[in-house]
Amino acid sequence: MTHLTQESAPVLEALNRYKSMRVVPFDVPGHKRGKGNRELTEFLGEKCLTVDVNSMKPLDNLCHPVSVIKEAEELAAAAFGARHAFFMVNGTTSAVQSMVMSACKRGEKIIMPRNVHRSAINALILSGAIPVYVNPGVNKELGISLGMSLSDVEQAILENPDAKAVLVNNPTYYGVCSDLKAITELAHKHNMLVLADEAHGTHFYFGEGLPASAMSVGADMAAVSMHKSGGSLTQSSLLLVNNELSEGYVRQIINLTQTTSGSYLLISSLDISRRNLALRGREIFKKVGEMAEYARAEINQIGGYYAYSRELINGDSVYDFDVTKLSILTLDIGLAGIEVYDILRDEYDIQIEFGDIGNILAYISIGDRILDLERLVSALSEIKRRYAKDRTGMLSQEYIRPQVVLGPQEAFYAESEPTPLDQSLGRICGEFVMCYPPGIPILAPGEKITAEVLEYIKYAKEKGCFLTGTQDSLVNKIQTVKE
């Protein structure tokens, strides 16, 4: 194999070689480099369609890479400080599921915070692994979930010495980090694997002065959303593997659910973005951090909003904070985050990442400009002037401690019946209910439906949150396990 450096982009180079060969395609995809679907070619461009190709010898195969994809994965592993990197084309959802399913078999336990993304709980439904939930800390003023406290993780480990793994969000959607290094050392002492959901932490590997990345503290696996802060195409992601985990076994687990028709648009975007971050990541994320700090200072001057940052750090449940995240509390202007989110989009043509009951998150990354941030700041200032009202009656509690009655797999596949919200109190939920984004379940299969949960669901509906996960698209009914 030729000596590769981070300047190389093996997949990109192979695709360019392939394009110059003018091969006659008697293989799939059927659009035949765009010739068979003019409208699509006009919409996406010929350059795009000519590289939407099938796996073949010169281009390697994502299911079992032996040449250019293998080289590109090795470069990604080196760039992220991992022993191995897998290119994922079914999103970080698939990376999270592959992590959980590599670590746990049916009936085995995994310790995790309850404010995980739905993909982690989906992995439990698929595999039959059993969650041991650690309730995250909660900041009552902000109404947000924090990280896991080290003593809570230790208690869960001591009470469940047979657990196979500990899963940690690094960071949470809002930018909050647990003490990943201490949790990793503790779990390893008890022969448990450490899995990190780094969907929102790609930049930790390249930026300076940012929280520790999973690989840097010796965690075993990490799911990294290259398409979020790393600049690759939507749905492309990395699964990083460290330590003594078997690369071959993990690839077999990935191949249980990942497509056999890996998209070269996604694969090449991972290769190109990795090269960009390896060569320029430090300066890119320095700029992103500075833009976020600028916006925070401007927003906090408006009054009524609170854009929070490292002042939240408490050494435990907020061990560190990701300063590139622009998370803003809106409750003091009397508006739920989702209401500010809707006004920004409908009246100012500004699309932010999400709004929940009390906060909004503007995602700042590689492609933003100060000019755009100034527009966001002035829109928020105007929204306060035009819409602010008294905050009485605002709900702020973002995290509700679940009462787990059945394992997720058992509950999801149990016989269930549609039950009107008002009649579901006290029953066991057989499906998910969540606001999307961020896609963290309010209810997961196997949890008891309490008065607090129902109040939250009704309030979220009233405020205009996009509720998902239920069979009933209007979320007037919940599937409950037949008693």
Side-chain angles (χ1 to χ4, degrees):
M1 199 172 84
T2 51
H3 177 64
L4 293 171
T5 66
Q6 291 297 335
E7 275 90 8
S8 315
V11 175
L12 172 68
E13 290 151 20
L15 283 166
N16 280 332
R17 277 196 301 275
Y18 176 76
K19 268 167 78 170
S20 67
M21 285 161 66
R22 305 173 72 92
V23 170
V24 180
F26 285 107
D27 61 351
V28 296
H31 62 66
K32 304 287 168 138
R33 317 298 178 260
K35 289 194 289 292
N37 193 338
R38 277 286 147 226
E39 282 178 322
L40 186 65
T41 308
E42 277 162 27
F43 180 60
L44 292 179
E46 207 170 317
K47 279 186 170 178
C48 177
L49 274 284
T50 52
V51 291
D52 180 39
V53 290
N54 192 25
S55 292
M56 59 189 77
K57 202 167 182 186
L59 297 179
D60 208 357
N61 189 310
L62 187 62
C63 295
H64 189 96
V66 292
S67 60
V68 292
I69 294 177
K70 184 172 188 277
E71 290 174 359
E73 288 185 338
E74 283 168 4
L75 286 171
F80 283 81
R83 203 171 57 79
H84 190 75
F86 297 92
F87 280 10
M88 307 296 290
V89 295
N90 288 18
T92 307
T93 286
S94 164
V96 169
Q97 289 171 353
S98 298
M99 280 200 307
V100 174
M101 288 159 66
S102 297
C104 303
K105 299 182 174 69
R106 180 188 299 277
E108 293 180 341
K109 291 179 191 166
I110 177 168
I111 295 166
M112 56 167 67
R114 176 53 181 72
N115 59 325
V116 285
H117 187 262
R118 71 172 291 177
S119 56
I121 302 177
N122 281 347
L124 307 178
I125 291 172
L126 292 171
S127 68
I130 304 295
V132 174
Y133 290 128
V134 172
N135 287 303
V138 172
N139 181 309
K140 290 277 196 290
E141 285 67 50
L142 303 176
I144 65 167
S145 307
L146 304 173
M148 295 187 289
S149 134
L150 187 61
S151 58
D152 288 349
V153 176
E154 184 164 33
Q155 189 187 341
I157 286 175
L158 296 175
E159 287 172 6
N160 301 275
D162 53 341
K164 296 291 175 190
V166 180
L167 184 128
V168 189
N169 291 324
N170 194 48
T172 68
Y173 227 118
Y174 302 97
V176 175
C177 294
S178 304
D179 188 348
L180 188 59
K181 187 173 195 294
I183 290 171
T184 300
E185 286 164 3
L186 179 69
H188 284 168
K189 213 185 297 179
H190 291 269
N191 298 316
M192 295 179 191
L193 296 175
V194 176
L195 319 177
D197 180 347
E198 291 189 310
H200 299 277
T202 307
H203 45 295
F204 290 4
Y205 289 89
F206 303 97
E208 280 183 328
L210 292 174
S213 68
M215 295 296 110
S216 73
V217 299
D220 299 282
M221 298 178 91
V224 178
S225 278
M226 276 292 270
H227 70 93
K228 290 194 171 82
S229 59
S232 66
L233 288 177
T234 294
Q235 206 180 307
S236 62
S237 184
L238 293 175
L239 176 57
L240 305 178
V241 172
N242 220 353
N243 307 328
E244 296 313 304
L245 283 171
S246 157
E247 175 197 329
Y249 180 67
V250 173
R251 186 161 321 263
Q252 286 182 334
I253 294 286
I254 290 169
N255 285 340
L256 290 176
T257 54
Q258 180 155 271
T259 176
T260 52
S261 310
S263 162
Y264 277 89
L265 301 176
L266 300 180
I267 295 168
S268 62
S269 84
L270 284 169
D271 195 26
I272 295 163
S273 304
R274 179 272 315 153
R275 177 169 73 177
N276 187 37
L277 293 184
L279 302 181
R280 289 175 283 277
R282 185 177 291 190
E283 67 216 52
I284 286 167
F285 294 119
K286 182 171 183 284
K287 188 179 154 205
V288 171
E290 284 166 0
M291 285 194 293
E293 285 294 357
Y294 163 78
R296 241 190 302 279
E298 293 288 310
I299 289 163
N300 284 334
Q301 273 187 326
I302 297 170
Y305 296 102
Y306 173 31
Y308 37 95
S309 184
R310 294 178 61 89
E311 70 279 359
L312 298 184
I313 291 174
N314 60 19
D316 193 21
S317 57
V318 189
Y319 183 76
D320 209 342
F321 188 84
D322 173 10
V323 292
T324 71
K325 296 276 184 293
L326 185 56
S327 306
I328 306 156
L329 177 73
T330 63
L331 288 180
D332 284 338
I333 62 164
L335 294 174
I338 186 67
E339 292 174 308
V340 175
Y341 169 97
D342 285 339
I343 296 167
L344 280 169
R345 185 194 56 242
D346 296 343
E347 303 199 16
Y348 294 91
D349 296 329
I350 293 174
Q351 180 63 54
I352 56 171
E353 177 68 12
F354 78 88
D356 58 31
I357 300 299
N359 299 266
I360 55 173
L361 174 76
Y363 208 92
I364 299 178
S365 77
I366 205 163
D368 285 302
R369 304 170 303 165
I370 286 284
L371 193 70
D372 301 323
L373 285 168
E374 284 168 354
R375 194 168 147 194
L376 173 67
V377 172
S378 64
L380 288 173
S381 180
E382 256 183 65
I383 289 170
K384 180 196 167 188
R385 187 170 52 77
R386 292 171 60 194
Y387 296 100
K389 53 183 193 285
D390 187 40
R391 73 168 278 180
T392 42
M394 301 290 291
L395 205 69
S396 73
Q397 192 54 29
E398 196 58 45
Y399 178 75
I400 297 169
R401 287 175 173 248
Q403 294 181 29
V404 181
V405 187
L406 295 176
Q409 187 183 59
E410 189 188 345
F412 185 79
Y413 289 117
E415 216 179 319
S416 64
E417 57 193 2
T419 310
L421 281 179
D422 292 331
Q423 292 165 34
S424 67
L425 184 63
R427 301 283 298 268
I428 298 167
C429 186
E431 60 186 359
F432 287 98
V433 184
M434 62 205 129
C435 295
Y436 187 82
I440 296 163
I442 302 163
L443 274 174
E447 293 174 4
K448 192 174 183 179
I449 301 169
T450 61
E452 200 184 359
V453 163
L454 289 173
E455 182 198 7
Y456 188 95
I457 291 170
K458 285 173 186 166
Y459 185 84
K461 279 177 73 174
E462 201 179 286
K463 292 292 182 190
C465 287
F466 181 52
L467 286 165
T468 69
T470 49
Q471 284 188 28
D472 171 18
S473 60
L474 300 173
V475 200
N476 293 324
K477 293 178 178 162
I478 294 181
Q479 290 294 124
T480 64
V481 175
K482 280 191 175 170
E483 289 164 353

